[in-house]
Amino acid sequence: MGKALIIGAGGVASVTVHKCCQNPDVFEEICIASRTKSKCDALKEKLDGGRTKISTAQLDADNVDEIIALINDFKPDVVINLALPYQDLTIMDACLATKVHYVDTANYEPLDTAKFEYKWQWAYREKFKEAGITALLGSGFDPGVTGVFSAYALKHHFDEIHYIDILDANAGDHGHHFATNFNPEINIREITSKGRYFEDGKFVETEPMEIKRVYNFPEIGQKDMYLLYHEELESLALNIPGIKRIRFFMTFSEKYLTHLRVLENVGMTSIEPINFEGKEIVPIQFLKAILPDPASLGPRTKGKTNIGCIFKGIKDGKEKTYYLYNVCDHQECYKEVGSQAISYTTGVPAMIGAMMIMTKKWNKAGVYNIEEFDPDPFMEELNKWGLPWKESFNPDMVD
Ligand code: NDP
């Protein structure tokens, strides 16, 4: 059917590349392009020989002209951005210049702030519409599948949704004292920021990790979870009419939080550059360099993730609750694609999002968050590509 340019060759990109190669009817040809070409070549070597033709390229995705040149050379139908949030705008600029569709899994972040806001990317709405191309924002799991779940719940189960709690639980154990499951810089930025949730038309701020709940998750059991801000809250607050409150909770063990508290107290999680022996370094980037590479956790991680949304609202004049979730097993993921479940649960929806655009099931010009599209074809593909969803009509609620 067509060609995809995949930018980035890290944990998530590796899963997406595997999944595109499992889906050669849609992804006839892919090009893997990233800063370190050897990582792209290693992926090609592992997956070459199937029906999907693979090429690789060295690319600095901070440089718009370089991206434009690569797009003009490879001529993809869609660019799947699986580099870091810092590259979103340069890649969107290159897509605009070449009129190619764009998909990502995380909102743009300027290097010097950590705001988790869509405003920079939403500012491209008119330009993408005029160019006749689609930018699909946030096609990972959260954001991503959580938005699709919300659109599906609204379409099929509610007249109005009033409350959404997004619960992200990871019961995986990698055996290290401390490691992050995906890019440590992004992960730590997320956790050390203040919490925020949406209520009655505005965002309410909390101290980091101030709000704790205990929840008994299907298939993984009871876990401590903490309220965080997460970027999909911003778009869901706009796109789910009548919504009164949306919160996001993520599980963390006491051990993980203790390590993090110490690192934070000594300044190791700071994003402010410091001078070290005549060289400017950013503490959190240095920390990233000494922590285990998330990609190395795959073979060691045992246990499951459970990510989903609990909805409460009105159907036919009556109050209704509904829970949609996915359970993913770290070791099963590793057996299939050589990555743990965190990368898997992001990399599969990135492939499906690109597939929605390439097959024209999602076909509207402009910049859109994922919940703005028809959820049904995406939900169907989740079941086919390794992330089957489950539902409960009588879930425990979070108080
Ligand atoms: P990794 O750090 O493992 O991979 C990032 C890749 O991008 C690396 O290959 C890196 O190159 C490459 N890269 C970084 N900067 C550039 C650049 N300037 N030019 C070209 N390539 C570059 O991250 P992950 O795979 O864990 O995450 C990828 C994305 O997915 C992130 O944006 C993350 O926020 C997002 N994510 C989304 C989730 C969701 O559910 N929505 C969940 C988890 C992650 P090099 O190899 O040289 O470092």
Side-chain angles (χ1 to χ4, degrees):
M1 178 168 293
K3 294 189 197 180
L5 169 62
I6 298 171
I7 301 184
V12 175
S14 165
V15 175
T16 304
V17 167
H18 275 81
K19 286 290 167 181
C20 289
C21 292
Q22 289 175 14
N23 192 2
D25 290 337
V26 173
F27 297 93
E28 281 172 345
E29 210 175 322
I30 59 171
C31 173
I32 315 164
S34 191
R35 184 166 54 190
T36 312
K37 184 166 178 285
S38 58
K39 290 192 190 172
C40 309
D41 293 335
L43 276 169
K44 174 178 160 67
E45 199 166 304
K46 192 168 166 198
L47 287 157
D48 242 355
R51 276 171 51 213
T52 300
K53 192 172 157 213
I54 307 172
S55 58
T56 63
Q58 205 280 326
L59 177 72
D60 174 6
D62 290 319
N63 183 326
V64 181
D65 292 337
E66 261 192 47
I67 312 169
I68 292 176
L70 179 61
I71 293 177
N72 283 334
D73 184 42
F74 180 62
K75 298 192 174 29
D77 301 287
V78 62
V79 174
I80 312 176
N81 168 16
L82 302 173
L84 298 178
Y86 316 121
Q87 280 82 48
D88 287 7
L89 299 188
T90 45
I91 299 175
M92 286 177 82
D93 283 332
C95 285
L96 263 178
T98 52
K99 295 198 172 21
V100 172
H101 303 299
Y102 169 90
V103 175
D104 71 24
T105 66
N107 69 197
Y108 170 71
E109 290 293 347
L111 265 178
D112 53 343
T113 52
K115 290 212 187 307
F116 306 106
E117 284 179 12
Y118 280 111
K119 69 172 180 211
W120 291 281
Q121 292 181 279
W122 286 347
Y124 283 69
R125 278 172 176 154
E126 282 311 310
K127 287 187 207 161
F128 269 68
K129 206 173 267 172
E130 278 163 23
I133 51 171
T134 307
L136 167 59
L137 307 185
S139 190
F141 207 104
D142 43 344
V145 177
T146 51
V148 176
F149 281 176
S150 300
Y152 181 85
L154 187 60
K155 182 172 175 184
H156 296 286
H157 293 285
F158 291 94
D159 296 324
E160 214 166 79
I161 295 177
H162 293 156
Y163 300 96
I164 305 176
D165 279 329
I166 302 171
L167 310 191
D168 179 331
N170 180 10
D173 183 4
H174 46 60
H176 287 294
H177 285 297
F178 183 77
T180 59
N181 285 303
F182 61 96
N183 185 289
E185 200 179 332
I186 310 292
N187 197 187
I188 292 172
R189 269 189 179 200
E190 218 168 52
I191 300 162
T192 54
S193 305
K194 293 210 176 196
R196 231 184 314 159
Y197 62 97
F198 180 82
E199 189 165 46
D200 296 331
K202 60 181 189 311
F203 279 95
V204 181
E205 196 168 85
T206 71
E207 288 306 310
M209 305 284 144
E210 183 189 333
I211 298 183
K212 176 185 172 183
R213 297 284 187 273
V214 179
Y215 193 79
N216 193 9
F217 288 88
E219 300 185 45
I220 65 174
Q222 194 158 298
K223 296 275 161 211
D224 293 347
M225 60 181 193
Y226 296 83
L227 185 143
L228 301 183
Y229 181 67
H230 225 242
E231 63 197 59
E232 65 263 51
L233 302 195
E234 187 185 11
S235 66
L236 288 172
L238 287 179
N239 293 327
I240 305 294
I243 190 79
K244 293 183 175 156
R245 189 185 66 201
I246 317 178
R247 302 180 296 186
F248 181 97
F249 291 92
M250 193 178 267
T251 62
F252 297 102
S253 69
E254 197 43 52
K255 183 173 156 190
Y256 182 89
L257 292 179
T258 305
H259 275 80
L260 196 63
R261 227 169 274 137
V262 173
L263 291 168
E264 202 184 352
N265 287 342
V266 299
M268 282 300 298
T269 59
S270 168
I271 57 173
E272 294 299 323
I274 57 156
N275 197 291
F276 178 71
E277 295 185 343
K279 191 177 183 318
E280 200 170 76
I281 62 166
V282 176
I284 198 168
Q285 285 172 4
F286 177 74
L287 177 63
K288 178 185 171 191
I290 53 175
L291 286 177
D293 177 357
S296 72
L297 301 177
R300 314 169 51 112
T301 306
K302 299 186 171 70
K304 293 177 181 177
T305 61
N306 177 329
I307 320 176
C309 306
I310 304 176
F311 304 96
K312 185 174 171 186
I314 300 289
K315 180 73 180 172
D316 300 329
K318 285 197 215 107
E319 201 168 80
K320 179 174 178 181
T321 60
Y322 179 54
Y323 186 12
L324 257 176
Y325 60 92
N326 162 263
V327 175
C328 197
D329 185 299
H330 286 287
Q331 283 182 303
E332 292 295 319
C333 297
Y334 192 75
K335 244 188 272 163
E336 185 197 324
V337 299
S339 305
Q340 33 77 356
I342 307 295
S343 300
Y344 192 91
T345 52
T346 311
V348 172
M351 182 281 285
I352 298 175
M355 179 184 179
M356 291 293 111
I357 289 177
M358 286 174 66
T359 56
K360 299 198 166 40
K361 284 185 177 150
W362 288 359
N363 184 14
K364 50 183 179 183
V367 175
Y368 298 98
N369 291 86
I370 201 162
E371 66 272 12
E372 295 178 82
F373 292 93
D374 177 12
D376 292 355
F378 198 104
M379 291 290 275
E380 212 179 296
E381 298 302 330
L382 282 172
N383 286 332
K384 290 186 196 155
W385 296 103
L387 294 176
W389 41 273
K390 298 184 178 172
E391 52 190 357
S392 158
F393 292 90
N394 186 22
D396 292 344
M397 300 303 285
V398 181
D399 65 18

